[in-house]
Amino acid sequence: MGKLQALIFDVDGTLADTERDGHRIAFNAAFSDAGLDWHWSEDCYGDLLQVTGGKERIARYIDRHCPGFVVPDGQTRADFIARLHQAKTGHYVQLLGQGHVPLRCGVLRLLREARAAGIRLAIATTTTPENVTALLDNQCEPGLREWFEVIAAGDVVPRKKPAPDIFMRVLEQLELEPADCAVIEDSDHGAAAALGAGLETLIVTLSHYTRNQDFGRAALVVDQLGEPDAPEEIRGGVLAGALTTAATASVCVDLALIKRLHQMLWKRFD
Ligand code: XBP
Ligand code: MG
């Protein structure tokens, strides 16, 4: 038990920093198309990110910020939100199609390295499936989406992160145990979801909106995965001390490092 066999990636904030200049812009464009005078500023969107899932985020906004809001004639509230969200997805996919949302530093390197070593790849995300494929299809890496054996996204589970459901679904589809996998996440809700599914080998790469969140139970916290010639300062995590020497407090998150973390963690529980 405990041999690393798969890497499970979150998408938003982890594969790419998509929230502020991607999802937020698409929500605002959909509001404008619908004739709504709603506008989500950077700060307002940061608060709304406490709710995972775009439809759930719109519902929270209505509840908190639009007390007198009445859904247009003939629509249920759920239908109205679903339509508005569908329009948002259209805008988001179009935005990704313009190719301006790159993968984060070190992501492609780590994916290539994992593939070459026969490590299986999977995705566990709250976002809509189309958003994932559009992100992967608009990188300069043909066939990138096929690298992922499992893409579990959006409404395929009834409870979104921080519930563990999406990670449990990935484990089920991979037919693996938590002790076989490592997770890369960027948010406290994502971290809670992974840990709730028993996935202890959790590496957090901080993103725009998650810099000040608490990741005390993650194995390792860094700003980004980094590159061999540009290692990253360690920001925290339960194994940070084991990786920090008098000479260095920087790492490049490569497969060797993830295996090392994985071994340290799972030996403790043997
Ligand atoms: C990401 C999300 C998503 C996106 C929007 O969370 O919460 O809802 O913000 O996507 P995580 P949709 O990175 O933890 O998975 O609008 O398609 O829901
Ligand atoms: Mg995320």
Side-chain angles (χ1 to χ4, degrees):
M1 169 173 123
K3 190 172 177 296
L4 184 72
Q5 294 185 55
L7 297 184
I8 308 172
F9 287 82
D10 167 52
V11 174
D12 294 302
T14 301
L15 290 185
D17 217 339
T18 49
E19 295 288 8
R20 186 190 61 182
D21 301 327
H23 289 293
R24 186 182 69 90
I25 305 297
F27 279 112
N28 283 333
F31 301 156
S32 162
D33 284 356
L36 296 161
D37 64 354
W38 305 349
H39 178 82
W40 291 357
S41 67
E42 289 182 25
D43 285 350
C44 165
Y45 192 65
D47 290 339
L48 289 169
L49 281 173
Q50 284 165 15
V51 181
T52 56
K55 293 188 285 295
E56 295 80 352
R57 200 165 293 147
I58 295 170
R60 164 69 70 95
Y61 180 76
I62 294 171
D63 292 343
R64 292 271 166 97
H65 300 273
C66 314
F69 179 72
V70 180
V71 169
D73 274 353
Q75 291 185 51
T76 65
R77 177 179 146 112
D79 285 346
F80 168 76
I81 291 175
R83 272 187 213 163
L84 194 55
H85 184 253
Q86 205 171 19
K88 175 259 168 180
T89 300
H91 281 288
Y92 183 67
V93 166
Q94 203 177 16
L95 205 143
L96 292 176
Q98 292 163 7
H100 298 316
V101 183
L103 297 180
R104 292 189 66 188
C105 170
V107 167
L108 203 52
R109 168 192 53 76
L110 180 60
L111 291 173
R112 285 193 180 121
E113 200 187 352
R115 250 163 74 83
I119 299 285
R120 299 161 72 191
L121 297 172
I123 278 175
T125 177
T126 295
T127 206
T128 302
E130 283 158 86
N131 299 348
V132 183
T133 43
L135 178 71
L136 298 175
D137 290 353
N138 284 290
Q139 306 300 325
C140 293
E141 187 63 57
L144 181 57
R145 77 156 99 158
E146 276 84 42
W147 294 13
F148 293 91
E149 190 178 324
V150 172
I151 297 181
D155 296 325
V156 292
V157 286
R159 296 182 310 165
K160 292 183 173 158
K161 300 172 188 176
D165 305 26
I166 197 80
F167 284 103
M168 286 160 81
R169 186 171 175 106
V170 168
L171 288 173
E172 236 172 67
Q173 290 187 264
L174 289 172
E175 296 187 20
L176 291 176
E177 298 293 323
D180 305 321
C181 306
V183 173
I184 324 287
E185 260 289 355
D186 76 300
S187 72
D188 53 2
H189 284 332
L195 291 166
L199 291 150
E200 301 278 338
T201 310
L202 169 65
I203 294 150
V204 171
T205 51
L206 300 168
S207 62
H208 178 77
Y209 282 114
T210 70
R211 269 173 214 290
N212 300 318
Q213 294 179 351
D214 178 14
F215 294 105
R217 288 179 59 214
L220 178 69
V221 183
V222 284
D223 284 333
Q224 44 193 0
L225 297 173
E227 296 290 1
D229 57 356
E232 286 297 313
E233 206 173 310
I234 295 172
R235 299 285 180 203
V238 290
L239 296 181
L243 300 176
T244 309
T245 66
T248 178
S250 300
V251 288
C252 166
V253 181
D254 58 10
L255 199 55
L257 182 81
I258 298 175
K259 282 184 173 169
R260 214 172 127 204
L261 295 171
H262 191 71
Q263 224 169 26
M264 285 194 265
L265 278 165
W266 288 97
K267 253 197 226 145
R268 279 201 343 208
F269 295 101
D270 279 349

